[in-house]
Amino acid sequence: MNNTWLELLTSDPEFLSQESGANPPPPPPFTIRSWGDVRGAALPPRETFLDDAFALSTVQAIMGQGGVGKSRVSINIARNNVLGIPFCGLSTGQRPYRWLFIGNENSLHRLKRDVTAMSEGLSTEQIELLDQHVHLHSLETLDDSFICLSDDTVKERWYETVKAVKPDIIVPDPWGEIQFGDPNNDLDTRQSVRELLRICMRVNTKMAQLILHHGRTGRANIAQAAGWDKGNFGKGSKALYSGCRAVVNLAPADPDDHSRLVMVCAKSNDCPPFDTRGIKLDDNTLTYDIDPDFDFDAWQADVDGKRQPGNAKGSIQDVVDAVAAGADTRKKVGEYFEEHFETAPRTARKWVQKALEIGYVRISGKNELKLTPKASPRHSVEHIDD
């Protein structure tokens, strides 16, 4: 082909369009930097929230059983960020961020109750600041309830919503209603996250995704909120946990008191994890603060079957066994512990107090220790290590 024909063809938009469709150019390579480029890169400081665990430009998650309080906790974090105050002892950001919550579990009545309570005692200026920065998906039409990213129309609704609000942080809630395919399949989970990121990146490349995801239920699964198995706490595929830069697990601190939670930094890739803490809901303001009465050892003993493995100095379970064997006073429990574990009386008193606090034993009108329906003595009252 001579140059004249080539020039004519390459100047023809229709030809170029057809040629590009038939023979698309190869995709660009991944971005690669040398050691020196990385070392000398001038980067802006990380913008973080919830201490330094969560950050803009990253994916993170809060996991917990349905009804444990993930939505309320995340709204409380947003509120405190905008107002410039910590959340349960953790910093909430370097500036007020713009928040967008999208979910289909919380009705307008529920949102109104939480927002009204969390506004209690705030000034007019503070409420106006919250009005400017916090935006909540309200379920008022049939289409508002359909948020799964498998549908092209729904994806466009997501995009139009995100474009209108332009948030710094988006909170999808709950993940199980948003992801598509098999929730136990790693590829489907990763593809669902990619679809969410595509929507967000079209609007703001620095947007943070704070995904709220259900944890598995039951005592054995709740025990996995902390410790070696904390990565196994969420439902379905572990690809979501793996893909997040940070994960916080929320678990009930007491099955009989829904206001008390355990908050665990289960993953923190970019900074040291914050310490596990108990948090407690204020019934009037529906905000959380540190639970001063939380005892992690007692909670772990409770969810682990009331015994800490390898603890040869007794446990709550041993108090239950002692009372079941007839030790109906603190003194008799002390004698039981001294006989079985060679412990000092103060050790027995410590475990009796913890058993009372979490409701495995009670004090009767005759000032005697009695088991509660919550307690379950072992078939044998012999020490477990024996």
Side-chain angles (χ1 to χ4, degrees):
M1 182 180 294
N2 60 41
N3 290 338
T4 303
W5 279 107
L6 182 61
E7 290 172 3
L8 286 172
L9 289 173
T10 55
S11 64
D12 181 356
E14 184 176 349
F15 169 81
L16 290 175
S17 175
Q18 292 179 2
E19 177 66 16
S20 177
N23 300 290
F30 295 121
T31 303
I32 302 295
R33 289 178 180 262
S34 71
W35 181 288
D37 286 342
V38 172
R39 185 171 180 270
L43 301 175
R46 291 175 73 236
E47 292 193 89
T48 61
F49 57 107
L50 206 63
D51 210 26
D52 287 329
F54 290 172
L56 302 192
S57 304
T58 60
V59 181
Q60 44 260 309
I62 294 176
M63 300 188 181
Q65 290 76 24
V68 78
K70 299 183 295 298
S71 301
R72 185 173 287 135
V73 164
S74 59
I75 293 173
N76 194 172
I77 293 170
R79 167 194 181 272
N80 288 18
N81 159 253
V82 172
L83 299 179
I85 58 179
F87 174 81
C88 297
L90 302 169
S91 61
T92 54
Q94 292 74 42
R95 62 180 174 88
Y97 301 135
R98 195 169 177 85
W99 296 73
L100 172 60
F101 292 77
I102 294 185
N104 64 358
E105 283 194 336
N106 298 309
S107 68
L108 184 57
H109 284 87
R110 159 69 188 274
L111 293 176
K112 178 179 172 64
R113 182 173 69 249
D114 285 3
V115 165
T116 301
M118 290 186 191
S119 300
E120 188 71 28
L122 300 182
S123 67
T124 301
E125 291 77 11
Q126 287 176 313
I127 293 175
E128 288 177 353
L129 197 61
L130 289 167
D131 188 42
Q132 295 167 14
H133 286 82
V134 182
H135 304 268
L136 302 150
H137 176 195
S138 175
L139 304 179
E140 300 183 47
T141 71
L142 182 62
D143 288 337
D144 282 322
S145 297
F146 299 107
I147 58 175
C148 181
L149 291 174
S150 64
D151 185 278
D152 289 340
T153 301
V154 172
K155 283 192 285 189
E156 280 304 303
R157 288 172 64 85
W158 272 81
Y159 171 66
E160 292 298 328
T161 305
V162 173
K163 185 173 68 171
V165 177
K166 295 181 175 61
D168 298 302
I169 302 168
I170 188 168
V171 186
D173 174 25
W175 180 244
E177 291 290 327
I178 295 163
Q179 74 171 113
F180 52 84
D182 182 353
N184 296 304
N185 183 279
D186 289 352
L187 291 177
D188 287 347
T189 299
R190 292 191 183 101
Q191 186 60 30
S192 299
V193 174
R194 289 191 193 102
E195 288 297 331
L196 174 63
L197 289 175
R198 286 192 184 101
I199 293 168
C200 296
M201 298 283 280
R202 288 170 65 186
V203 176
N204 177 4
T205 58
K206 296 183 179 180
M207 193 185 307
Q209 295 77 35
L210 176 53
I211 295 171
L212 306 189
H213 182 44
H214 284 176
R216 294 180 297 132
T217 58
R219 179 194 290 271
N221 294 322
I222 290 172
Q224 296 183 28
W228 292 105
D229 295 322
K230 54 183 177 286
N232 197 42
F233 185 60
K235 277 188 174 182
S237 165
K238 302 304 174 287
L240 178 61
Y241 178 89
S242 299
C244 290
R245 300 300 295 174
V247 175
V248 166
N249 290 342
L250 291 177
D254 187 324
D256 300 321
D257 185 353
H258 297 293
S259 69
R260 299 176 61 231
L261 301 177
V262 183
M263 186 175 180
V264 181
C265 188
K267 182 180 182 182
S268 182
N269 283 2
D270 298 321
C271 68
F274 58 77
D275 294 335
T276 296
R277 62 203 60 210
I279 63 176
K280 187 174 177 62
L281 183 70
D282 184 297
D283 290 335
N284 296 317
T285 63
L286 295 183
T287 59
Y288 289 88
D289 206 344
I290 291 176
D291 182 357
D293 299 322
F294 176 68
D295 185 321
F296 179 74
D297 291 336
W299 175 79
Q300 197 167 42
D302 185 6
V303 296
D304 282 345
K306 306 180 292 297
R307 178 165 185 84
Q308 298 179 75
N311 182 359
K313 297 296 184 182
S315 69
I316 294 172
Q317 178 66 67
D318 293 313
V319 173
V320 171
D321 295 341
V323 175
D328 57 2
T329 65
R330 286 182 171 85
K331 181 180 179 181
K332 290 180 181 178
V333 172
E335 293 170 351
Y336 178 95
F337 270 57
E338 184 177 9
E339 177 186 352
H340 287 78
F341 315 126
E342 299 180 356
T343 61
R346 65 177 179 275
T347 301
R349 288 197 297 270
K350 177 189 76 172
W351 286 112
V352 169
Q353 185 60 34
K354 289 183 177 181
L356 287 166
E357 288 173 358
I358 61 177
Y360 282 92
V361 298
R362 62 179 178 84
I363 297 177
S364 72
K366 297 180 179 180
N367 206 31
E368 295 177 340
L369 295 175
K370 299 288 186 182
L371 297 181
T372 69
K374 186 176 179 179
S376 178
R378 289 186 290 249
H379 294 300
S380 169
V381 296
E382 294 178 359
H383 183 257
I384 192 169
D385 294 332
D386 294 334

